[in-house]
Amino acid sequence: VSIALFNQASRIAIFPLVSVTTSFVAEEDTLSGASSQAEENGCLEAATPPDAETKEFLPQKNFVAESFDIVKDVEQKRRHIPSASSALFFGGILGLIQAILLISAAKPLLNFMGVTSDSPMLHPAQQYLKLRSLGAPAVLLSLAMQGVFRGFKDTTTPLYATVAGDATNIALDPLFIFVFRMGVNGAAIAHVIS
């Protein structure tokens, strides 16, 4: 019940955070790429010198060294995408709000989900939800980062990060639950760490 409650609370922020971040970052990345390319090539309306084509194809002195310098310059340029930092900021704020809400209202929310006050499941469910909610800012920050990477057309980095997090959780769950005998608390702590 606590997992379902946490996931439902996260889903409220997931869709707008990831999809809006992806589209804004992609748009800004495209616009910044187009503007830097226009700056390098000069104004499109300006006429090219009549001899420009022949100079382009003639071998020049230090041509190889210059082309490597261009590659180094391109690699060293950093992209400044304001929507990426805004998404990380909003992801962190939404995560903090979600954590505060779930921790402070754990018992009423669990009652709403059907766990009554006299149920033996209430105490462990409440402990799990409160501990798991400590990881809400990290969850929403990671989702914002996924949107940023998708906006840069990089879907492999979020995949590797998700697989690493899941593998960590799979390894830590039995360790905390059975070896350290932490039970439900151990499962929540393993999930927060992963």
Side-chain angles (χ1 to χ4, degrees):
V1 174
S2 295
I3 294 170
L5 190 56
F6 183 85
N7 289 342
Q8 289 302 323
S10 294
R11 281 194 186 106
I12 293 169
I14 287 173
F15 178 73
L17 188 62
V18 175
S19 53
V20 170
T21 300
T22 301
S23 57
F24 281 163
V25 169
E27 181 181 4
E28 285 184 23
D29 186 38
T30 301
L31 291 175
S32 70
S35 65
S36 66
Q37 188 177 17
E39 287 174 7
E40 287 176 9
N41 294 336
C43 183
L44 295 175
E45 295 175 1
T48 57
D51 211 20
E53 286 185 358
T54 39
K55 284 185 180 178
E56 184 179 330
F57 294 111
L58 292 175
Q60 298 174 1
K61 208 184 243 187
N62 297 331
F63 177 72
V64 174
E66 288 175 10
S67 63
F68 284 123
D69 289 339
I70 291 170
V71 171
K72 287 179 188 174
D73 289 343
V74 170
E75 289 176 354
Q76 291 177 357
K77 285 184 184 176
R78 288 184 178 229
R79 297 181 234 181
H80 177 66
I81 308 291
S83 59
S85 54
S86 298
L88 294 176
F89 175 76
F90 283 119
I93 295 297
L94 286 172
L96 286 173
I97 291 170
Q98 180 181 341
I100 292 167
L101 177 73
L102 289 176
I103 290 170
S104 62
K107 188 173 181 177
L109 288 171
L110 288 167
N111 286 336
F112 178 74
M113 294 290 287
V115 182
T116 59
S117 296
D118 58 344
S119 172
M121 199 169 74
L122 179 64
H123 183 66
Q126 196 173 357
Q127 283 182 324
Y128 182 87
L129 183 59
K130 286 181 177 182
L131 285 172
R132 173 93 184 264
S133 296
L134 294 174
V139 169
L140 290 177
L141 273 174
S142 71
L143 291 170
M145 285 187 264
Q146 282 184 15
V148 170
F149 279 107
R150 287 180 188 173
F152 288 139
K153 299 174 194 81
D154 178 8
T155 55
T156 56
T157 303
L159 173 68
Y160 292 147
T162 302
V163 169
D166 290 345
T168 303
N169 190 23
I170 290 169
L172 291 179
D173 269 338
L175 182 70
F176 287 144
I177 294 170
F178 302 116
V179 175
F180 296 140
R181 300 190 187 281
M182 296 175 75
V184 172
N185 292 338
I189 292 169
H191 205 90
V192 170
I193 290 171
S194 67

